Amino acid sequence: MKVRRSVLGDAHVDRAEAQKTPFDVPFQDLITEGAWGTVWASDGISKRERSMITLALLAATGNFEEIPMHIRATARTGASKQDVLEAFQHVAIYAGVPRANHALKLAKQTYAEMEDDT
């Protein structure tokens, strides 16, 4: 949970925790342990690199709904806008221009929202 909070921020995690129900507790525990307790907690690569990989994988697999959350996380992981652009350019070449184009659209919207929030 400490790693999850360090990447996504307390407000996001608090909202997610408040939305848990008895039905999805096992799934939420799986995500917390697997994604945040194992993968994101590893010191094998930096959080910046993890952000880039995560965003590229989300775009390449068409899982667009989590891209804004992970764009917001770049403020904590150190991945720059240029890093994100580079990751999405890889997506365009290796997974398809439409997916990369949609991911860039979401990133631009999210960065604009982040700037409005400051």
Side-chain angles (χ1 to χ4, degrees):
M1 193 59 76
K2 179 180 173 185
V3 173
R4 185 178 179 198
R5 287 182 179 282
S6 77
V7 173
L8 299 179
D10 288 331
H12 175 85
V13 175
D14 289 346
R15 279 191 307 275
E17 288 292 301
Q19 293 175 4
K20 284 193 325 191
T21 67
F23 175 71
D24 69 340
V25 165
F27 179 74
Q28 294 299 323
D29 290 347
L30 174 70
I31 292 170
T32 300
E33 292 170 15
W36 302 107
T38 301
V39 173
W40 276 88
S42 168
D43 61 359
I45 60 174
S46 70
K47 284 186 174 56
R48 173 184 162 266
E49 293 164 320
R50 256 177 236 294
S51 276
M52 295 167 63
I53 291 168
T54 300
L55 285 162
L57 287 168
L58 289 170
T61 58
N63 290 296
F64 299 112
E65 64 279 351
E66 290 202 1
I67 286 178
M69 174 181 69
H70 281 281
I71 290 292
R72 286 184 180 88
T74 64
R76 290 175 206 80
T77 65
S80 69
K81 288 182 181 181
Q82 185 64 38
D83 292 335
V84 172
L85 176 61
E86 294 289 337
F88 290 156
Q89 286 178 338
H90 270 68
V91 170
I93 298 303
Y94 292 101
V97 170
R99 288 185 176 192
N101 189 45
H102 189 63
L104 279 168
K105 176 184 172 185
L106 293 171
K108 286 170 36 177
Q109 290 171 347
T110 306
Y111 283 130
E113 291 168 6
M114 290 168 68
E115 289 173 12
D116 288 344
D117 290 344
T118 58

